[in-house]
Amino acid sequence: MTDKLLNLLGLCRRAGKAALGYDPVIDSIKQRKAKLIIISSDCSDNTKKGVLLSAHRGNVPCEVVPYTKDDISLSLGKYTAVLSILDQGFAKSAQSLICSLKED
């Protein structure tokens, strides 16, 4: 695993600044703790729809990344398709890495 974004997500989880899974992500949006939502490329349509709707209502940026659930889960140590970053610094770093991925 040499990808910078996946490494950052793993670091974010170890620091306790990530909510993993559908229900914790929705709760973090409702509590206004979520700074960025990350969705895997192979996330189910129902999960994606629910998260995107909640993120829109909570005015939280949301990104679908070009990684599968397996890729993200390997970096986090827990199987999940969606996660929210709860720290502004981690969120800003992740967004810049996602922007550089989209440019490639």
Side-chain angles (χ1 to χ4, degrees):
M1 180 177 66
T2 59
D3 187 273
K4 291 180 182 181
L5 179 59
L6 293 177
N7 286 335
L8 179 72
L9 295 179
L11 181 63
C12 184
R13 177 170 192 242
R14 290 189 299 278
K17 300 296 182 182
L20 310 177
Y22 182 82
D23 289 334
V25 167
I26 299 299
D27 289 342
S28 70
I29 294 169
K30 287 179 181 176
Q31 296 170 2
R32 299 194 179 278
K33 293 181 179 179
K35 307 299 181 208
L36 175 67
I37 308 297
I38 306 263
I39 302 174
S40 69
S41 61
D42 61 345
C43 181
S44 75
D45 290 336
N46 285 338
T47 300
K48 190 182 296 184
K49 181 180 175 184
V51 170
L52 289 172
L53 182 62
S54 293
H56 178 71
R57 286 181 182 160
N59 199 26
V60 179
C62 200
E63 296 284 348
V64 177
V65 295
Y67 299 109
T68 64
K69 290 182 260 190
D70 292 332
D71 296 333
I72 292 172
S73 299
L74 186 62
S75 70
L76 297 174
K78 183 177 179 187
Y79 195 75
T80 188
V82 295
L83 68 127
S84 63
I85 297 177
L86 309 176
D87 178 79
Q88 189 62 46
F90 280 123
K92 187 175 180 181
S93 297
Q95 281 182 315
S96 69
L97 290 170
I98 292 167
C99 284
S100 68
L101 280 174
K102 290 180 180 178
E103 291 172 359
D104 291 344

